[in-house]
Amino acid sequence: MKNKFFTRKFVPAAQIRRLRKGMVINMTEEITVRAMSRIDAINAPKFEELLKEAMGDGQNSHIVIDMTDTVYICSIGLRVLLATQKKLHQKDGSMIITGVNPQIMEIFEITGFSGIFTME
């Protein structure tokens, strides 16, 4: 299946494909999605669609979200992450958030999301 964000196909775990606007997906059992720099009211719907496509039709139940480049997240972005985690847990899946910078971590802590999400 092809779309503007990624091509769904199996690649070896060591191979990572560079995608539009810095988004990267490693198409193995565990999918890694690189979040955009700003997850705001404009970008959150695009981010949500990317995560939905990464989950596929329930076949991909383990997602790692790399937030190394993320410098801003609004409440809509937090809702997207929460909804994604909820869908994955319903399928006995998991979501791990990595590369969170101190400013974003502070937002997660203030809102209580640091206790909800698995972060590395």
Side-chain angles (χ1 to χ4, degrees), residues 10-79:
F10 176 80
V11 296
Q15 182 180 355
I16 296 178
R17 300 179 58 90
R18 176 124 334 256
L19 301 170
R20 183 173 166 257
K21 296 200 178 199
M23 295 176 201
V24 174
I25 295 184
N26 179 5
M27 299 302 293
T28 60
E29 283 186 12
E30 186 175 84
I31 296 178
T32 301
V33 178
R34 177 166 288 170
M36 60 264 309
S37 61
R38 295 181 59 84
I39 305 174
D40 54 18
I42 294 170
N43 291 325
K46 296 174 194 170
F47 187 53
E48 183 174 28
E49 283 303 311
L50 177 66
L51 291 172
K52 282 180 183 177
E53 288 193 43
M55 285 188 288
D57 297 327
Q59 58 209 18
N60 303 316
S61 58
H62 302 288
I63 295 181
V64 175
I65 300 174
D66 181 359
M67 295 186 75
T68 303
D69 297 332
T70 305
V71 295
Y72 177 81
I73 187 166
C74 71
S75 60
I76 299 169
L78 293 172
R79 183 198 59 78

Side-chain angles (χ1 to χ4, degrees), residues 86-99:
K86 182 178 178 181
K87 289 174 189 169
L88 288 167
H89 279 272
Q90 289 172 347
K91 300 173 185 177
D92 292 324
S94 64
M95 180 179 89
I96 299 171
I97 300 173
T98 63

